Amino acid sequence: MDKKYEILDRELTADDPWRLDSSRFERKRLTQMLRLSLSQGIITNALEVGCAAGAFTQMLAPHCERLTVVDVVPRAVGRASKRTNRWSHITWIAADVHQFSTADRFDLIVVAEVLYYLSDLAEMRKAIGNLVGVLVPGGHLVFGSARDARCRRWGHPAGAETVIGMLNETLIEVERLQCRGASDNEDCLIACFRKSIQPDCRL
Ligand SMILES: C[S@@+](CC[C@H](N)C(=O)[O-])C[C@H]1O[C@@H](n2cnc3c(N)ncnc32)[C@H](O)[C@@H]1O
């Protein structure tokens, strides 16, 4: 594992990493992500990027025929797979989103609070290219992130607005919402995109 991900590995030793289970704001955010994920119809083959300890994996899994989960930190894969071990239709991959490859194709991709961990805008673009490449024509991608200003204050290269701009270069934005909580840190954008069914259109 890259040194820069050691801090994530440490965070993943907490009982409830990032308070995804216990914070009211995080529950509301994950519920909105699930709503957008389910709003486009039946999910045959989904990909979740960045599973943490499996809070969202557990919500999404019962709605998919097949689900692949990718996380750069093996501890995240270990915790999320243990939490969801009642299901046998989940495939686990420990890999970096900007480097991983698969022959599989997905009709839904969910990537939230992940891309700002990449080193720079070039890596973010590479990750987006990877994800768009494995999305079937007509498939949907649900993206979520804290906003640009907040991410930069946390020391990350960019956040929601920048990535939404990049995604709009190749995908069609279907819906966007803002999710806010009581504290300054609780402010993110969630957006749903569709890939054109015409191969030459916008790609
Ligand atoms: C803050 S948690 C977000 C969890 C969940 N997606 C959510 O929205 O609450 C970030 C997760 O992304 C993973 N992650 C960070 N950088 C990654 C990368 N380059 N490739 C794959 N996973 C990554 C971390 O290990 C962690 O499990």
Side-chain angles (χ1 to χ4, degrees), residues 153-167:
R153 247 169 275 156
W154 288 337
H156 300 304
E161 293 89 336
T162 298
V163 176
I164 287 174
M166 290 180 184
L167 286 164

Side-chain angles (χ1 to χ4, degrees), residues 77-88:
V77 170
R79 288 193 62 174
S81 58
K82 194 167 171 198
R83 180 170 176 163
T84 57
N85 66 7
R86 84 196 81 152
W87 291 295
S88 59

